[in-house]
Amino acid sequence: MKRAHLATALAACLAVTAPALADDTDPRQAEARTLVKRFVGTVKPLLTSTIQEQGPVAAIEICAEQAPALADQLSEETGWSVRRVSLKPRNAERAQPDAWEREQLERFAARAAEGVPGPMLNHGEVVDGRYRYLQAQPVGGVCLVCHGETLDPAVAEAIRTYYPDDRATGYQLGEIRGAITLTAPAEDAGP
Ligand code: HEC
């Protein structure tokens, strides 16, 4: 039993690190990671402080308005496309993954189920001539307030009002809520 488990864990590690190593040579990976850090480093503290100071219903605005606005701002500033996607989107219009994103998200979910921590789950590669990078967003304690199994009735009602087709509840700690998806600016076609 133990041995089989170890083999699975090892296979998971290898599968995660192998593509990452191959991509280390791409300088755009570092740029993508910096953008992810800026995004998460801004949204997460804002979410936590708003929940503490004004309660969870008020904080819905952070994930609903501020996070997409920041993604747009980063896109404008840098020329990268920055968005959020999920296999179970809350915002069905904005967060629908394309085929490449779906494939990575499914891999991330499988790895997370094997115990690989969400922050380690990322993947970058050139797809159809453009560099793309996806970073998993794992469910932490604060996320359960709006994405967990049991929501405060006022939170549940507010979410139902704005997102009648919401699919983004019922998550457990450590599961993959979605990902930040980045596409590098198109390179100038050289001579
Ligand atoms: C206060 C409520 C609230 C909290 C707490 C919260 N979210 Fe959200 N989340 C939302 C709402 C509302 C949306 C829909 C955003 C939109 O309309 O684009 C959303 C959307 C998302 C999306 C975009 C994909 C989708 O389903 O539309 C991701 C990814 C996400 N949340 C991850 C997280 C993570 C990770 C945490 C914890 C760090 C978290 N959220 C905490 C309310 C919340």
Side-chain angles (χ1 to χ4, degrees), residues 67-85:
L70 177 63
D72 288 348
Q73 186 200 322
L74 290 176
S75 305
E76 247 171 58
E77 231 176 73
T78 62
W80 284 70
S81 149
V82 183
R83 289 173 49 237
R84 295 190 300 178
V85 284

Side-chain angles (χ1 to χ4, degrees), residues 39-40 43-44 47-48 51 55-65 67-68 84-92 94-96 137-147 155 159 162-163 166-168 171 177-180:
F39 184 86
V40 178
V43 172
K44 239 187 177 171
L47 255 184
T48 311
I51 288 177
V57 174
I60 289 177
E61 198 234 331
I62 306 295
C63 221
E65 305 287 344
R84 295 190 300 178
V85 284
S86 174
L87 291 174
K88 295 199 294 171
R90 173 155 289 168
N91 190 320
R94 229 174 349 216
Q96 217 60 257
Q137 295 244 272
V139 173
V142 67
C143 319
L144 294 175
V145 174
C146 299
H147 296 294
V155 173
I159 291 175
Y162 293 107
Y163 307 95
D166 181 33
R167 297 179 58 206
Y171 283 91
R177 174 64 266 279
I180 303 175

Side-chain angles (χ1 to χ4, degrees), residues 3-191:
R3 252 198 130 109
H5 190 76
L6 197 70
T8 317
L10 199 65
C13 280
L14 290 174
V16 169
T17 49
L21 279 177
D23 292 325
D24 278 349
T25 51
D26 199 313
R28 290 168 294 188
Q29 187 191 60
E31 274 183 62
R33 289 188 168 169
T34 305
L35 286 172
V36 167
K37 262 195 203 141
R38 278 183 66 188
F39 184 86
V40 178
T42 309
V43 172
K44 239 187 177 171
L46 251 181
L47 255 184
T48 311
S49 63
T50 310
I51 288 177
Q52 276 166 3
E53 287 157 22
Q54 300 172 47
V57 174
I60 289 177
E61 198 234 331
I62 306 295
C63 221
E65 305 287 344
Q66 306 287 335
L70 177 63
D72 288 348
Q73 186 200 322
L74 290 176
S75 305
E76 247 171 58
E77 231 176 73
T78 62
W80 284 70
S81 149
V82 183
R83 289 173 49 237
R84 295 190 300 178
V85 284
S86 174
L87 291 174
K88 295 199 294 171
R90 173 155 289 168
N91 190 320
E93 281 167 36
R94 229 174 349 216
Q96 217 60 257
D98 66 17
W100 182 80
E101 289 159 340
R102 178 171 295 278
E103 192 187 322
Q104 311 311 319
L105 282 166
E106 280 167 358
R107 276 191 31 228
F108 290 172
R111 298 279 176 268
E114 286 161 359
V116 181
M120 285 174 60
L121 293 169
N122 51 63
H123 180 63
E125 67 178 309
V126 175
V127 184
D128 295 333
R130 298 281 291 269
Y131 180 77
R132 303 189 69 178
Y133 186 84
L134 205 70
Q135 171 63 55
Q137 295 244 272
V139 173
V142 67
C143 319
L144 294 175
V145 174
C146 299
H147 296 294
E149 249 173 359
T150 12
L151 305 191
D152 176 282
V155 173
E157 197 191 318
I159 291 175
R160 242 193 332 268
T161 307
Y162 293 107
Y163 307 95
D165 302 321
D166 181 33
R167 297 179 58 206
T169 55
Y171 283 91
Q172 312 276 343
L173 272 183
E175 282 183 335
I176 301 306
R177 174 64 266 279
I180 303 175
T181 177
L182 303 104
T183 308
E187 283 173 291
D188 291 339

